[in-house]
Amino acid sequence: MEDALAFFERVYGEVPEWVRTMHEQRPQALNDYLTLRRTVMEKGALSRKQKEWILVGVNAARRYERSMLYHTRGAVDAGSTVSELAEILLPCILSRGLPAWLEGYKALTYAEQYLSQRGDDRDEHEEVTEATVPSITTAEEALTYFSREAGGDQPEWVSLMNVYAPGTLRDYANLRKLALADGLVPRKMKELVLVGINLSERYPNGVSLHVTSARRLGATDAELADVALTCVLTAGIPAWFELSELLTVDKESE
């Protein structure tokens, strides 16, 4: 079987310093991590490409450039286009603000360069058209939109923004609708990326919101479990803790 150093050099194009150091200090720990990584990243309810997307989005949101770029390479190797990566990164703005895009655009630049080095023109024949969604023109329409997204309840933050900044609420609703619209990447996948971001940062309100949205769009427990396990690779076992509680609650309520 391929040893750990050879594996990471093949996957990342180099042996990262953290891999080399772990190999020197605790080689068995590195081998165990590699076994976990191989198991998690193999095709399950989600494909490898979709798991790489999740890790690109999570690390853009966390502003962890090194890991984001490694998984950008992985996403390209798994068949992703730059345009698909852009659709994965834009919704990250909704969860962690513009800094997520400021970090994420580096992934797009890296992907373009990597594809060029490989002589790969997979984006050249891909027609990119921005999704067209009906605009929200009033704060009242925004309130209706957010209530529907929350399953009928109006979140408190929405109510307060409507009082103090109704125009901002309207504009944010339009940004949200556009960023989450079906395109090259379906909305369900975008919701799963947002689940991953909130699992990785242990933000239960965000986890609950996007798990609910993903389920409404057809996400299964197996897909949600794959999201959490993928996040374990970059955010540790607490990412699994956050989701496993939701899965347990759902099963007990059936």
Side-chain angles (χ1 to χ4, degrees), residues 151-206:
D153 297 324
Q154 188 169 289
E156 185 177 2
W157 71 266
V158 170
S159 300
L160 288 173
M161 188 175 285
N162 184 52
V163 171
Y164 295 107
T168 301
L169 180 67
R170 178 200 62 218
D171 293 343
Y172 179 68
N174 280 314
L175 171 64
R176 191 179 192 278
K177 284 186 69 177
L178 189 59
L180 289 176
D182 288 318
L184 295 171
V185 177
R187 177 175 175 181
K188 184 180 83 169
M189 189 65 226
K190 296 175 183 181
E191 292 286 357
L192 292 177
V193 172
L194 292 170
V195 169
I197 290 170
N198 285 286
L199 286 173
S200 297
E201 298 202 346
R202 293 185 295 165
Y203 181 52
N205 289 346

Side-chain angles (χ1 to χ4, degrees), residues 54-125:
I54 289 166
L55 291 167
V56 171
V58 165
N59 285 296
R62 299 168 78 209
R63 300 186 296 284
Y64 184 27
E65 179 179 342
R66 178 170 57 182
S67 188
M68 179 187 71
L69 296 183
Y70 284 146
H71 291 289
T72 297
R73 179 188 175 106
V76 171
D77 287 341
S80 184
T81 66
V82 181
S83 298
E84 287 174 326
L85 285 167
E87 285 204 18
I88 287 295
L89 289 162
L90 281 169
C92 299
I93 297 172
L94 305 177
S95 191
R96 294 300 178 270
L98 192 58
W101 175 255
L102 296 177
E103 193 67 46
Y105 89 88
K106 301 173 188 175
L108 304 184
T109 301
Y110 177 86
E112 289 174 344
Q113 293 171 344
Y114 182 48
L115 284 165
S116 178
Q117 290 169 3
R118 290 171 34 151
D120 194 324
D121 64 352
R122 72 184 66 172
D123 256 358
E124 289 185 9
H125 308 295

